[in-house]
Amino acid sequence: MTARKRFDVIGKPRRRVDGRAKVTGLTRFADDIMLPRMLYCKLLRSPVPHAIIEAIDVSRAQAHPGVHLVLTGKDFPVTFGILPVTQDEYPLAPERVRYVGDPVAAVVARDEQTAFEALDLIDVQYRPLKTISDPKEALATPEPRIHSYGEQGNIHRLQALEFGDVNEALARADHVFEDLFFYEGNTHLPIEQHASVAAVDGEGKLTLWSSTQVPHYIHRALANALQIPPAHVRVIACPNGGGFGGKCDLHNHEIVVSKAAILLDRPVKICLTREEVFYMHRGRHPVLMKMRTGVTKDGKITGMHTQTLLDGGAYGGYGAASTFYTGVLQTVTYEIPRYKFDACRTFTNKPPCGPKRGHGTPQPRFGQEVQLDRIAEKLEIDPAELRLSIVAKPNTLTANWLKIGTIGLAECIRKVVASSDWKNKFRKLPEGRGVGLACGAYLCGAGLPIYWNRMPQSGVQLLIDRSGQVTVFCGATEIGQGSDDVLAAIVAEVLGIDAYDVRCVTGDTGLTPVDLGSYSSRVTVMMGNAAIQAAERLRDLIARAAAEHMETLPENVGFARGRVFRADDPGKLMSFREAIVLAEEKFGTLGSVGSYSPPRSPGRYKGAGVGPSPAYSYTACVVEAEVDRNTGWITVPKVWIAHDIGRAINPVSARGQVEGSVYMGLGEALMEEQVFRRLPPKLSNALVHKIPSLLEYKSLTSLDMPEVFTELVEDPDPNCPFGAKEVGQGPLLPVMPAVANAVYDAIGVRIDELPITPDKVLAALEKEAKGETPRIGPESFPDVPYPEPMLVPPPWEGGDGNSINTPRRSPVKKEALA
C-alpha cells in the first residue's frame, strides 16, 4: 500500500485519538495496518423447562475483565420464525422460557473462556410454571398455555382432510386393518456444529457468515428481526459439515452475533458446543400414528384413514408444514382411491422439532409399510407382489390432487427382489435371520416457497469472457450433497465444455441470484432447470456469432468437448474460447440469467400447497437382519436398495447419497432417539434432556455399516433437468420399515415403534413365551379434537380440486380461553 492509513477489517479508516490510531481491541499487521480483533459470544441458556423470568442481573458479568457486551431479551423486541405463521421466538427470551436450553442472555468477550466465565456471573430468577412433557399431557392440560396463539390450549395445529367417502370405502372392503405406531424423535447429528461470524463492513452494512442451508431465508428473517433494510444485509452460507435439515431454520445465535457486531463494530463469532446443538434440536418430530386401511381379497386398497399426533416442542418453526407432511405424501406411492388424513401438533416444553431428512414423511412411511406387510401376511401374498400390484401409475393424479409424473418404483422393487434373492430368503431363512422389504417416495422440491409470492424459486446467472472462463452464480447452498458439482456439470453439458472449466459462486446473498435453499430435495431440479435456461440463452448468443463466421445457421452449430462446430460439417470448427471472442465482438460483454418456478398444483383446496412437487422419486429396499434371541441384539449384515433417480448426473455422488441414507436410516431404526426425563421433585421436577452428548446418544459407526448394494433406476422425468430427480432424502424412507419387517421375519415378533432396541425385542419375546401377542408398540390413541374434515372429491369422482364444504373448527375448551 502506498497510503499508510489505519483500516479496520473492511477498509474503513478508524477515528484517531490525539493524532494516533486507536489501538484498543486492534491487532497490528504488517505495514502498520490495524485490524479489529475477533470477539467471541456465548449464550446463557435456561436450566428450567418452563418459567417466568422475574429478574435478570447482568452487572457482575458486565464488570468481568475482557467482557465487551452483555445482551438480554430487552435488546431484542422483535420476534422471528422461519414461517410467516409462526413468528413466535425471541433471539433471547425476554419474559418467559419454554424449554431447557432456551437462551436468555449473551456475553461477548475477548475469548470463549472469558465469555464462559461471565455466563456464571449472570443472575436469573425464575418462577417455574407447569411443564408439559408430551402430546397426551398437552391435550389434557390447556393451561398454562405455552403460547397464546394456536388452535386451543396447547394444541398448535389441527387439520382434517377427506378425499372421497373413506368410511364407505372401508365398509365395502373385504378386510380392514387398524394399527398403531410410534416413531421416536431423533436429531440430525451433523459432524459440524452450528457456527456464525458477523461483521459490519466499511459502508455500515452487515455480513453474516453462517453454517446454514437457507441463506435467502436467513437474509429475510435477519433483516426483520434486527429492523434493518434487507439491502444492507448480506448472508454467506459457508460450506457445511452436514445439515440434514438442522440448518434450515433461523437460529437465535445468528441474530445475537449480528446485533453484537452492529453495536460493537467488531467481528463477533459464536460456535455452539455439541451439547447446545442437542438443546437447540429442530430434529425429527416424535409422532404417534393410527392407520386404518381397507383392502380387497386380492390386496387392492379401497381406502385409508391416517391420524397423526405430533410432539412439536416449544416453538412453531416449520411445524405447520411438518404436520401436513405426516400424511400428504402417502398417496403418491400406491393406488389409494379414497383417503382421509387427520393431524394434530402440540406444544410441549422440549426443544422445538423441525425438518430432518425426509421432513415429516419417514414417520407415516414406517407405519404404512409395516401395515402393508401385515396385510400381505393375512392375505397370504408375497409382500413384494402385493406392492407391485398396487404401485401408483405414471402421469396420474392422486386422491388428494398430487400430480405423479414418471414412477420407477415397480422396477426398483424388481431390482431389489432379484439382487437380494428375496424369493429364496423370505420366510425361508433359519430362526433368527430374516429379510424385510419396504418402499418409499419423496419430493423433488416443494411446489411452493415458505412465504407466498409469484417469483421464481431459483435463479442462475452466467458470466463468460474472452479468457474462456465460465462463472455461474446461484444462491443454492453446498451442504455436502454435491450441488456445486451438479451446477457445474449442467452448465458444462449445455455449453459442451469440461465441468472443470466452470467456476461456481454459490450461497451468497450479496452476489448471487435468489435460490430458496437446500431443503426438500429441491436443488437439483430447481437450480438445474434455471441453470439450463441460463446456459441455453448464452449458448444461443455464441451460436449466432459462430454461425456467421462458419457461414451457416445458428441451429446448425454444435457444442462438444470444448469445441464449436458445424453439425453438418464437423471439420469446420473452432475452440470454445475462440467462439466466445466472436460473440463478445458481436454482442459486447456476455452474460445470461435463468430462473425456475414449479408448475402449478392441480389442487385448489386450502392446504393443497403442501405436497405438490415437479416430480417424485421412489425407492425400494430389502434389509437382511440377524436377531439374537438371548440378548435381543440386532445385526444388519446386508442391505439392497434401488432408487428411481430419473437420471444420474453424477452416479458416484448419487450412490454416496443413497448409502448415506442407509446409514442414517439404520441409526434411526436401531438406536437413535432424542428422549427426556423428569428430575425428582426435590430437584425441581424439571423435564431435562436425557442424553445431550455423543457419549450417550447412539449412532452407527463405520464398523456397524452393512454391505450396501445400490442400484440406480433411470427413468428420466421431463420436468427435471436432463430427467434427473432427487437422491438426497428419498432413499432414507424405506430403510426403517424394512428393518422392522426383517426383524419380524427373523423371530416372529412385531416392534411397532422406533427405535427397535434389544430391550424391546426381549420384551416382545417374553410376551410370546407367556402366550400373549408378541408385539411392542403403542396400545392406545388419545381422543384428539380433530376438526370437521374439509371434503375434496377425488379426480375420478367428479372433483375439480376444490373443497365442497367450509369446515367448522373444533370447539375451543373454556379453559383455553381463560
Side-chain angles (χ1 to χ4, degrees), residues 106-165:
V107 172
V108 180
R110 64 191 176 199
D111 52 46
E112 281 193 325
Q113 184 59 41
T114 301
F116 268 124
E117 292 169 356
L119 291 181
D120 291 334
L121 302 177
I122 299 175
D123 297 312
V124 186
Q125 295 180 21
Y126 297 98
R127 175 162 56 86
L129 299 172
K130 182 177 177 58
T131 301
I132 309 298
S133 63
D134 58 46
K136 291 182 180 180
E137 193 171 359
L139 293 172
T141 312
E143 291 289 339
R145 297 188 75 180
I146 296 175
H147 289 283
S148 60
Y149 77 98
E151 301 282 354
Q152 55 177 281
N154 285 302
I155 297 175
H156 175 206
R157 294 282 300 187
L158 283 170
Q159 54 206 42
L161 297 163
E162 186 168 10
F163 306 91
D165 189 338

Side-chain angles (χ1 to χ4, degrees), residues 442-514:
Y442 197 62
L443 306 159
C444 294
L448 292 178
I450 285 175
Y451 63 97
W452 171 249
N453 66 83
R454 298 182 183 276
M455 293 177 285
Q457 291 200 31
S458 185
V460 167
Q461 182 176 7
L462 283 180
L463 174 66
I464 194 167
D465 65 30
R466 64 198 71 177
S467 71
Q469 175 178 285
V470 178
T471 305
V472 53
F473 299 86
C474 182
T477 309
E478 175 61 71
I479 58 171
Q481 85 282 38
S483 60
D484 282 3
D485 177 80
V486 168
L487 180 59
I490 286 175
V491 170
E493 179 70 18
V494 174
L495 297 180
I497 59 178
D498 194 297
Y500 188 69
D501 295 331
V502 180
R503 184 189 305 274
C504 294
V505 178
T506 55
D508 184 337
T509 65
L511 295 178
T512 61
V514 168

